[in-house]
Amino acid sequence: MATTAEKATPCCSANRGTAVGAAAKVKADSVLPVGNDWTVDQKRSAASAAASSAVTAVIRPVEEPAISKAPPKGVQLLTRAQTMHPLDPLSAAEISVAVATVRAAGATPEERDSMRFVEIVLLEPERRVVALADAYFFPPFQPSLLPRTKGGPFIPSKLPPRRARLIVYNKRSNVTSIWVVELSEVHATARGGHHRGKVISSKEVPDVQPPMDAVEYAECEAAVKSYPPFIEAMKRRGIDDMDLVMVDAWCVGYHGEADAPSRRLAKPLIFCRTESDCPMENGYARPVEGIYILVDMQNMVIIEYEDRKLVPLPPADPLRNYTSGETRGGVDRSDVKPLHILQPEGPSFRVSGHFIEWQKWNFRIGFTPREGLVIYSVAYTDGSRGRRPVAHRLSFVEMVVPYGDPNEPHYRKNAFDAGEDGLGKNAHSLKKGCDCLGYIKYFDAHFTNYTGGVETIENCVCLHEEDHGILWKHHDWRTGQAEVRRSRRLTVSFICTVANYEYGFFWHFYQDGKIEAEVKLTGILSLGALQPGETRKYGTTIAPGLYAPVHQHFFVARMDMAIDCKPNEAFNQVVEVNVKVEKPGQNNVHNNAFYAEEKILKSELQAMRDCDPSSARHWIVRNTRTVNRTGQLTGYKLVPGSNCLPLAGPEAKFLRRAAFLKHNLWVTPHDREERYPGGEFPNQNPRLNEGLATWVAKDRSLEETDIVLWYVFGVTHIPRLEDWPVMPVERIGFMLMPHGFFNCSPAVDVPPSSTSEIELKETGGSKPVSAGLLAKL
């Protein structure tokens, strides 16, 4: 693999510049197998020092520019220090500075004490700042990103300070506010340095409720379990030990004026474990139904309570727990032999901070409390054409889980797991159980907790390579020659748990230029209790007195595309492709003809589209000014996987907040303020169709602009007996595939696969056997 300096080729453009010659080789962070974290940390420090040295060498010649030399038009003189890339996620020290700055700005001690910090994220800078950083301050050093001028580009000595954006909830006044803080100077707390920040702006946001926090969930559970009428209700159901009771504080959504955001509300779901002390017990196996509770989350008091219907707790099912088969009376699969994933020469990817290089791909990794993993500045290095941008930003921005049972409490189960809870804040630390194999690079994630402290999820994001079977194969029957190119992919992922469900979010990068977005659904079903002898048409009976309601899972991927576009360019358009059957006649005398028909989606209202597998419908984002060797415009196409639309009526209450579910594809021009499809505050949102449905009503032009794709994909889950007590992984997703982007297949560059050998372990030793011979055996 080429070094960082060797790979610093400019973007595809008629005005290509040269890479900075002084950019020395910057060593990537060391990547070691699991269990060597202390070694990784030591080597990371050395790599960081090497990177700093290389950057210093690059900027030293222009660190003190002549005062008389004015900067060229479009390049602003920037004067403040910055040691982190403008797109790196906030560090723990930066979060502490932001919290301290906002708290100090409180007018009274009461106001400061009442501040609850819901979310703190990096305020992503304008693209000209990112371009300047990528051009001269951080690898792969691409000066061609900036406009050319007669006197050459003016290079400031420093980048502007980073900024943080905070969502603050005042527990005393029930007011939500948004703050922007400039992180002027940040020192590590351990060194006792001064923390300085500057409030750039603050505003109250009326008539909203911010996402719920884990601290609130814990307080809500304690309040419910200490409420005397609830204790009596549980005794009527045979439960005296409140330690067995589980209270999941679900947001109320918005079903009418009673759910208005003037109060911060939750309607908990109740479950009860058995007397078992089994650490692998499925606590969701015994739902408590018939009890209605409304909790004021601001003051943490029960404001409405009613024991409406005595539904017996489901009996303890012997199959309920997820212990091994042997402990449940079955037989474990002990005949499985070890399967080792080995990379004796280490991984093929390179890591420098949050910058990743693998094969010809390069991009940056970010993380937010709401979205979780974010992929920035995706590009592919394409020989003499240099570094070709594909996307500015990729992430999952929302997910909604509506249930199909009209009975209480299931009709109100329509969680917005990103907007009401936060996918990132619910992410796993993979130290507690790694989900990847081979050589792995982990990234930590830092968050604020509810009271303003900093919490770290160690090993939150996983980066690793995977073998992915055959990339390409052909056998020539005339010559007897066979060619095989084996596929490998780079995977970046994180996994989160929201109550009973687990969601794994994956971005796969392939050697042939594809990008795959994948979601893996697993975990435990959310269940309902039945009266003796009762069945329900809206779910599956999976155990005596227990059923699983039908439901759907919807995910929204936001893709800010940049096909062959520099940061200051917006030359993309969207084309829909449908396969049409040719009408019988002179052009189709054999009645076998069909063709692909293209239609440019010229405006936002035209671009509200649904999947149609019957016509192989897909969409292409094209650059309107860059062509391939046959004269066709270069592009990437979005290829849908399996998908669905909501199975609810048009007047369903959850669609009031989730109008974006009505179509599989939405397209908008880029706007920094348009980040979340249901608006920034979907919790108890009384406004109709906020977010995408409101934005596209402006019907803005999509011709030669900065294209943002919003792809909505989902799965309809009709539970099976085999989903009990655990739900095996279900996969859904989509592909971004090059379409006329390359002049030929990048798979040609992949080395041919060598003959595979399988080693059979036998009593007398071992002998290698070819795969073909093994099949005969």
Side-chain angles (χ1 to χ4, degrees):
M1 174 177 277
T3 65
T4 302
E6 291 167 339
K7 282 204 163 187
T9 50
C11 293
C12 175
S13 171
N15 296 321
R16 283 198 289 266
T18 58
V20 177
K25 184 185 298 183
V26 180
K27 293 183 178 180
D29 289 348
S30 298
V31 183
L32 299 175
V34 180
N36 291 317
D37 289 345
W38 65 274
T39 308
V40 172
D41 291 338
Q42 290 175 339
K43 294 193 174 184
R44 182 181 293 120
S45 298
S48 177
S52 299
S53 176
V55 172
T56 302
V58 172
I59 66 174
R60 186 176 292 118
V62 291
E63 199 164 16
E64 300 297 335
I67 298 177
S68 60
K69 184 177 180 180
K73 185 177 181 180
V75 180
Q76 181 180 349
L77 177 61
L78 307 172
T79 59
R80 290 189 178 273
Q82 178 171 322
T83 58
M84 301 177 70
H85 189 277
L87 292 177
D88 284 352
L90 294 177
S91 66
E94 288 177 316
I95 292 173
S96 295
V97 168
V99 169
T101 302
V102 169
R103 185 168 274 147
T108 65
E110 292 77 15
E111 181 181 349
R112 294 191 287 271
D113 291 343
S114 298
M115 288 181 174
R116 298 295 181 267
F117 295 86
V118 177
E119 179 181 288
I120 301 179
V121 297
L122 172 75
L123 181 64
E124 295 175 14
E126 295 180 4
R127 287 177 182 163
R128 64 175 181 81
V129 175
V130 177
L132 182 62
D134 290 340
Y136 296 107
F137 290 84
F138 295 90
F141 305 110
Q142 310 157 69
S144 63
L145 289 177
L146 298 181
R148 283 193 162 192
T149 59
K150 291 182 179 179
F154 174 76
I155 310 172
S157 61
K158 298 175 183 178
L159 293 172
R162 284 151 58 88
R163 293 184 175 185
R165 185 178 187 272
L166 301 87
I167 298 176
V168 180
Y169 174 70
N170 190 298
K171 193 171 177 63
R172 184 166 173 262
S173 63
N174 193 35
V175 170
T176 299
S177 56
I178 296 176
W179 300 67
V180 174
V181 171
E182 184 178 275
L183 305 171
S184 305
E185 186 175 338
V186 179
H187 300 289
T189 307
R191 293 199 290 263
H194 298 289
H195 298 273
R196 295 195 303 172
K198 176 183 177 183
V199 175
I200 301 300
S201 66
S202 66
K203 64 176 181 179
E204 292 185 357
V205 186
D207 203 27
V208 300
Q209 284 294 338
M212 293 289 188
D213 187 83
V215 170
E216 293 180 289
Y217 290 150
E219 292 176 349
C220 177
E221 180 173 72
V224 171
K225 289 166 69 171
S226 63
Y227 188 59
F230 177 77
I231 296 174
E232 291 301 315
M234 293 306 299
K235 287 182 178 179
R236 285 195 291 273
R237 290 161 174 79
I239 302 300
D240 292 316
D241 185 359
M242 295 306 293
D243 288 338
L244 298 175
V245 178
M246 298 164 45
V247 180
D248 281 5
W250 282 55
C251 297
V252 299
Y254 189 86
H255 293 82
E257 185 56 32
D259 301 326
S262 56
R263 300 182 298 175
R264 189 164 174 80
L265 303 174
K267 289 184 179 178
L269 299 179
I270 313 298
F271 303 88
C272 186
R273 295 183 290 114
T274 67
E275 296 293 337
S276 169
D277 59 356
C278 172
M280 304 296 283
E281 180 171 3
N282 178 2
Y284 292 97
R286 301 179 78 200
V288 179
E289 291 205 14
I291 299 178
Y292 169 84
I293 308 175
L294 182 65
V295 180
D296 177 345
M297 299 292 281
Q298 177 190 358
N299 302 297
M300 213 52 70
V301 295
I302 285 81
I303 54 178
E304 293 182 19
Y305 174 84
E306 186 179 354
D307 191 353
R308 294 176 172 176
K309 183 179 181 182
L310 183 59
V311 180
L313 286 174
D317 184 357
L319 302 179
R320 72 190 180 279
N321 294 338
Y322 36 97
T323 51
S324 64
E326 183 179 7
T327 60
R328 302 191 313 149
V331 178
D332 284 338
R333 303 182 189 187
S334 57
D335 60 336
V336 177
K337 302 299 187 291
L339 176 63
H340 297 288
I341 307 298
L342 301 176
Q343 292 179 271
E345 298 182 22
S348 301
F349 56 80
R350 296 159 52 85
V351 181
S352 178
H354 290 81
F355 180 68
I356 313 299
E357 292 178 290
W358 177 80
Q359 293 288 278
K360 298 183 178 184
W361 286 110
N362 50 81
F363 53 87
R364 292 190 174 275
I365 287 179
F367 204 88
T368 73
R370 182 164 181 163
E371 301 158 281
L373 177 64
V374 180
I375 309 292
Y376 297 105
S377 304
V378 180
Y380 191 96
T381 303
D382 186 19
S384 62
R385 303 189 75 174
R387 186 176 184 271
R388 302 178 64 187
V390 174
H392 291 298
R393 193 181 193 276
L394 306 173
S395 70
F396 294 96
V397 287
E398 191 55 272
M399 61 171 292
V400 184
V401 188
Y403 278 68
D405 187 340
N407 296 286
E408 178 80 35
H410 307 288
Y411 76 89
R412 56 183 171 84
K413 289 160 70 173
N414 44 76
F416 285 60
D417 285 334
E420 292 178 341
D421 289 284
L423 301 177
K425 290 183 75 171
N426 287 284
H428 294 183
S429 168
L430 297 178
K431 277 192 169 184
K432 299 179 179 179
C434 182
D435 305 281
C436 312
L437 297 174
Y439 278 81
I440 303 167
K441 166 64 181 175
Y442 291 112
F443 297 85
D444 297 343
H446 305 290
F447 302 100
T448 178
N449 60 27
Y450 203 41
T451 55
V454 180
E455 295 183 358
T456 299
I457 302 178
E458 296 184 279
N459 292 11
C460 183
V461 173
C462 172
L463 172 74
H464 72 293
E465 294 175 287
E466 295 179 342
D467 178 88
H468 197 64
I470 296 174
L471 175 63
W472 170 75
K473 180 178 176 65
H474 178 65
H475 176 257
D476 190 323
W477 66 272
R478 290 183 176 85
T479 65
Q481 183 165 340
E483 275 284 329
V484 179
R485 309 290 165 93
R486 194 151 189 88
S487 178
R488 182 183 300 202
R489 67 185 185 185
L490 183 71
T491 295
V492 196
S493 63
F494 81 103
I495 296 180
C496 67
T497 299
V498 185
N500 54 292
Y501 255 105
E502 262 75 16
Y503 300 96
F505 296 90
F506 298 77
W507 292 95
H508 304 294
F509 295 84
Y510 291 85
Q511 291 166 299
D512 60 350
K514 294 196 302 283
I515 303 173
E516 181 182 15
E518 183 182 37
V519 179
K520 298 179 182 178
L521 301 85
T522 182
I524 299 172
L525 293 168
S526 180
L527 305 170
L530 298 172
Q531 295 279 13
E534 181 187 7
T535 60
R536 283 196 190 164
K537 63 189 289 187
Y538 308 107
T540 302
T541 300
I542 58 175
L546 194 62
Y547 89 110
V550 294
H551 57 281
Q552 295 181 292
H553 300 260
F554 289 100
F555 305 88
V556 185
R558 181 183 182 274
M559 296 167 282
D560 188 351
M561 305 301 291
I563 306 301
D564 274 333
C565 285
K566 292 183 180 181
N568 60 323
E569 296 176 343
F571 301 140
N572 284 179
Q573 65 178 189
V574 181
V575 176
E576 178 173 285
V577 181
N578 289 281
V579 174
K580 297 291 184 71
V581 175
E582 186 68 76
K583 295 179 181 180
Q586 185 177 358
N587 293 330
N588 190 17
V589 294
H590 302 292
N591 289 313
N592 70 312
F594 60 91
Y595 60 96
E597 181 179 79
E598 297 185 354
K599 177 184 177 181
I600 298 176
L601 303 180
K602 296 182 178 181
S603 69
E604 290 177 288
L605 292 180
Q606 288 184 22
M608 297 188 301
R609 307 298 295 162
D610 296 328
C611 295
D612 184 1
S614 67
S615 67
R617 179 175 294 169
H618 58 273
W619 301 276
I620 302 173
V621 181
R622 283 180 173 156
N623 186 297
T624 59
R625 304 193 182 189
T626 305
V627 297
N628 53 35
R629 65 172 179 166
T630 64
Q632 298 169 326
L633 298 176
T634 61
Y636 257 75
K637 68 177 181 178
L638 191 165
V639 181
S642 61
N643 209 335
C644 61
L645 289 169
L647 295 173
E651 301 302 318
K653 299 296 184 181
F654 76 90
L655 288 177
R656 179 187 182 98
R657 299 188 294 153
F660 54 87
L661 297 183
K662 295 178 180 179
H663 296 287
N664 297 128
L665 181 76
W666 306 71
V667 186
T668 62
H670 173 262
D671 187 322
R672 293 181 68 192
E673 301 301 318
E674 297 177 1
R675 185 62 58 85
Y676 306 111
E680 182 158 23
F681 299 102
N683 186 17
Q684 296 179 237
N685 184 5
R687 291 166 293 282
L688 186 64
N689 295 340
E690 189 171 69
L692 267 174
T694 299
W695 304 331
V696 302
K698 293 179 281 189
D699 203 23
R700 293 166 291 189
S701 172
L702 299 177
E703 297 189 87
E704 286 210 329
T705 188
D706 190 343
I707 293 294
V708 179
L709 299 178
W710 307 77
Y711 183 62
V712 182
F713 60 106
V715 60
T716 300
H717 191 186
I718 303 173
R720 314 164 298 158
L721 283 175
E722 290 79 7
D723 292 332
W724 175 253
V726 298
M727 196 189 84
V729 166
E730 187 166 0
R731 296 171 171 84
I732 57 173
F734 61 93
M735 279 279 191
L736 291 172
M737 302 178 66
H739 188 85
F741 190 77
F742 301 110
N743 286 330
C744 67
S745 173
V748 174
D749 298 335
V750 178
S753 301
S754 58
T755 303
S756 61
E757 289 188 343
I758 296 177
E759 195 174 82
L760 289 181
K761 301 290 185 180
E762 297 180 349
T763 305
S766 64
K767 64 177 182 178
V769 182
S770 71
L773 180 57
L774 181 67
K776 296 179 181 179
L777 295 176

